Amino acid sequence: MGSARILAVDDERDTCEALAEMLSTWGHKVETAFDGHDALRKAGEFRPDVVLSDLAMPETDGLWLLRNLKEELPDCPVVFLTGRGTIDAAVEAIREGAYDFIVKPLDTARLKVCIDRALEKKETLREVQTLRRRLKQLGSSDLIAQSAGMRKVIELVEKVAPSKASVSISGESGTGKEVVARAVHNLSLRRDKPFIAINCASIPATLIESEIFGHERGAFTGADQRRPGVFELAHGGTLFLDELGEIPIDLQAKLLRVLEEGRLRRLGGKVEIEVDVRVLCATNRDLKQEIKNQRFREDLYFRLNVFQIHLPPLRERREDVPILVQHFVDKFRGDSAKRVSGVHPEAMEVLKNYEWPGNIRELRNAVERAVILCDGELITREHLPPDMAGKGPERHTFRLPFGLSLDAVEREYILGSLQRNGNNKARTAEVLGVSEKTLYNKLNRYAAEARTQQSGPGGPLGGQGSDGPLSASNLLAR
């Protein structure tokens, strides 16, 4: 991290000044205080990024300072220095909102890491606030983005929203397709009109025509009254059709006609009704393949696919995890009247390293669960779902026996990295700091070597030959 403002607090002047000198050599701007009252006054003037304080001080101890700082500087992380005899008090301080504590005598390396992480947390909170101000314009508090991929999504949303064009939103389940659709609506000239969203996969095939186009009384058994469809409900506004590929092909022609002519006829109806609706859609299916399989109309595809927005999965935008987590912590804290303010660094590492097969929906659920379980200020590893909490940084360690050549070490490290990244070669190349072409060349060489090896043990790890779990031919074939 770069230079920061740090307030160092200790009733022993020599200790405080020595601490300030060390922090200064690390490039920080430091102010000192020798008791709680002095620290509180200087905090108001100096506006520190981090407060580093002794816990045991006469008259006004560290806990007193923490409680008063929360009113003056609620977003400023506080790190306590404590002796072994006051660890219980330090744990209590963590429950009350302190960022962390370090036991004396000081481990300077641990102190440096702790300060860097505290500054990262403060920066994350600042970015969340900045993003929230911008996203108010988008009308969606859940569209959080720091990664390059998601910033591109926001740029596309801002460009297409004022137009009348149909928008096709793609992405894995849970990536936030409806959130993006709402953002498009809220930035459009239709923002004051209805936004109607339906999931076509959740509607029985026998009812989907009625749900979309509406029906007249007596149109079918059970239709005891007239009912407008989603097109009528969205008149003047926006209709979001999620899982578009689930619409039966015999209804697709009727949908295309409504899109082209702006008129529809209810099921069982005799008169046509004019509708003015902008249609946004999303699907997990490959519609081009569906067209080849004659399950989706090509003309409807081109009518709806005027403008495309693709949402990357969460595992490809890991830099967004901390601000998404903080956003959901703030949201669920307010909903449950909890005092949770953030996530412990160890728990955050687990969250950042997790693969998130369920994407943002899974992250949201994990944070909601953690907030419910947490009785203190910080979510810890024990509050995370069991299958996630057991997967910390150690699952990403890499062990090799002695005696391997450098080429063999490189081979196993590359294949191990590829396996960890779910065979995503673009991400693996990025992590390794090489071009995709370089990675493909190496994998092709490893695969060729594997094919020429004789069968049986003899792989560089002993027992992992060409068909082992780290086989280049296996990974290339996936």
Side-chain angles (χ1 to χ4, degrees):
M1 298 296 291
S3 175
R5 297 186 304 278
I6 299 179
L7 176 61
V9 187
D10 199 308
D11 60 303
E12 296 182 5
R13 288 179 175 266
D14 291 344
T15 301
C16 190
E17 289 170 357
L19 183 62
E21 183 178 351
M22 180 175 64
L23 294 170
S24 297
T25 62
W26 292 349
H28 301 302
K29 184 177 181 181
V30 186
E31 187 69 60
T32 57
F34 307 111
D35 61 57
H37 290 294
D38 188 30
L40 194 60
R41 179 181 59 81
K42 288 186 175 177
E45 299 170 353
F46 185 52
R47 312 300 289 183
D49 297 307
V50 177
V51 173
L52 191 61
S53 174
D54 190 18
L55 183 59
M57 296 185 293
E59 296 183 17
T60 53
D61 64 5
L63 279 174
W64 179 91
L65 177 61
L66 174 66
R67 290 163 184 155
N68 284 275
L69 278 173
K70 284 173 69 175
E71 297 180 9
E72 182 74 22
L73 299 170
D75 296 332
C76 180
V78 178
V79 177
F80 282 119
L81 310 179
T82 179
R84 296 193 179 278
T86 55
I87 290 180
D88 288 344
V91 172
E92 177 62 26
I94 293 290
R95 291 197 185 102
E96 293 213 21
Y99 178 74
D100 206 347
F101 69 89
I102 299 176
V103 179
K104 297 177 181 178
L106 292 182
D107 179 339
T108 55
R110 185 180 181 322
L111 175 63
K112 195 172 191 304
V113 169
C114 185
I115 290 173
D116 286 346
R117 284 181 170 174
L119 291 171
E120 286 176 1
K121 178 189 176 183
K122 185 177 178 67
E123 180 66 13
T124 295
L125 290 172
R126 186 193 66 78
E127 288 170 349
V128 168
Q129 292 167 356
T130 301
L131 284 166
R132 277 180 180 157
R133 285 194 292 270
R134 183 182 178 192
L135 292 170
K136 280 183 180 179
Q137 301 173 346
L138 294 176
S140 175
S141 60
D142 286 346
L143 188 58
I144 304 294
Q146 177 174 280
S147 62
M150 283 304 295
R151 288 186 183 277
K152 180 65 175 176
V153 167
I154 290 180
E155 290 176 7
L156 292 175
V157 167
E158 291 172 335
K159 287 178 179 179
V160 76
S163 74
K164 297 180 180 180
S166 299
V167 180
S168 173
I169 306 167
S170 62
E172 295 179 6
S173 178
T175 49
K177 295 186 285 294
E178 184 173 337
V179 172
V180 170
R182 287 185 182 275
V184 171
H185 171 75
N186 290 331
L187 271 184
S188 74
L189 299 176
R190 299 171 179 260
R191 66 176 68 89
D192 297 325
K193 299 296 183 179
F195 174 86
I196 304 295
I198 64 165
N199 188 315
C200 300
S202 67
I203 305 171
T206 55
L207 297 178
I208 193 166
E209 182 176 6
S210 170
E211 186 71 23
I212 294 176
F213 304 111
H215 65 256
E216 296 287 351
R217 180 180 179 181
F220 52 85
T221 303
D224 55 357
Q225 59 183 351
R226 174 186 291 172
R227 186 172 184 273
V230 291
F231 266 97
E232 286 182 76
L233 295 175
H235 179 66
T238 304
L239 174 61
F240 175 55
L241 299 174
D242 198 4
E243 299 296 350
L244 176 73
E246 302 298 327
I247 295 180
I249 194 163
D250 56 325
L251 289 184
Q252 293 174 20
K254 189 172 182 179
L255 175 60
L256 178 62
R257 182 172 179 271
V258 175
L259 294 175
E260 291 182 338
E261 299 182 8
R263 302 174 67 86
L264 64 81
R265 183 177 297 167
R266 298 191 192 104
L267 188 62
K270 297 180 179 179
V271 298
E272 289 193 332
I273 303 165
E274 289 190 4
V275 287
D276 173 22
V277 176
R278 182 185 191 179
V279 175
L280 313 178
C281 66
T283 181
N284 287 325
R285 291 193 180 189
D286 182 348
L287 291 185
K288 290 185 177 179
Q289 186 61 45
E290 293 292 288
I291 291 170
K292 291 180 181 178
N293 295 335
Q294 298 185 338
R295 288 195 293 262
F296 201 85
R297 293 180 62 105
E298 187 175 32
D299 47 4
L300 179 59
Y301 171 80
F302 288 118
R303 180 64 180 78
L304 289 172
N305 208 43
V306 176
F307 194 92
Q308 305 87 35
I309 297 177
H310 176 71
L311 296 181
L314 190 53
R315 63 183 174 274
E316 293 180 8
R317 42 179 290 215
R318 293 178 189 273
E319 57 267 54
D320 288 338
V321 170
I323 57 175
L324 282 165
V325 168
Q326 189 62 48
H327 166 72
F328 289 131
V329 166
D330 294 343
K331 174 181 174 61
F332 295 124
R333 175 183 60 204
D335 293 346
S336 61
K338 290 272 189 169
R339 57 194 182 103
V340 184
S341 63
V343 179
H344 190 276
E346 183 181 342
M348 184 60 79
E349 284 301 307
V350 174
L351 294 170
K352 288 195 293 187
N353 288 320
Y354 186 62
E355 291 300 311
W356 299 113
N359 292 296
I360 297 174
R361 184 182 295 121
E362 184 182 9
L363 174 64
R364 176 192 173 101
N365 293 342
V367 174
E368 183 175 16
R369 176 187 188 275
V371 170
I372 292 170
L373 293 176
C374 183
D375 294 322
E377 296 273 352
L378 294 179
I379 290 171
T380 63
R381 191 166 178 161
E382 67 183 10
H383 300 130
L384 302 179
D387 59 335
M388 187 183 302
K391 298 179 180 179
E394 63 273 8
R395 78 189 266 261
H396 301 311
T397 58
F398 191 74
R399 296 186 179 184
L400 290 171
F402 288 106
L404 296 182
S405 67
L406 286 177
D407 284 344
V409 170
E410 181 188 66
R411 175 187 185 277
E412 295 309 316
Y413 186 70
I414 289 174
L415 296 181
S417 299
L418 187 62
Q419 188 178 55
R420 179 198 163 187
N421 287 295
N423 202 37
N424 185 319
K425 298 176 183 63
R427 176 164 176 77
T428 301
E430 180 182 357
V431 169
L432 294 174
V434 299
S435 67
E436 287 187 55
K437 181 179 180 180
T438 297
L439 178 61
Y440 271 98
N441 288 340
K442 287 183 179 292
L443 291 175
N444 287 328
R445 178 163 61 84
Y446 298 155
E449 290 172 355
R451 287 192 293 269
T452 60
Q453 283 183 338
Q454 293 181 352
S455 61
L461 289 181
Q464 286 190 6
S466 60
D467 295 324
L470 294 184
S471 163
S473 56
N474 285 346
L475 289 168
L476 281 170
R478 293 178 192 169

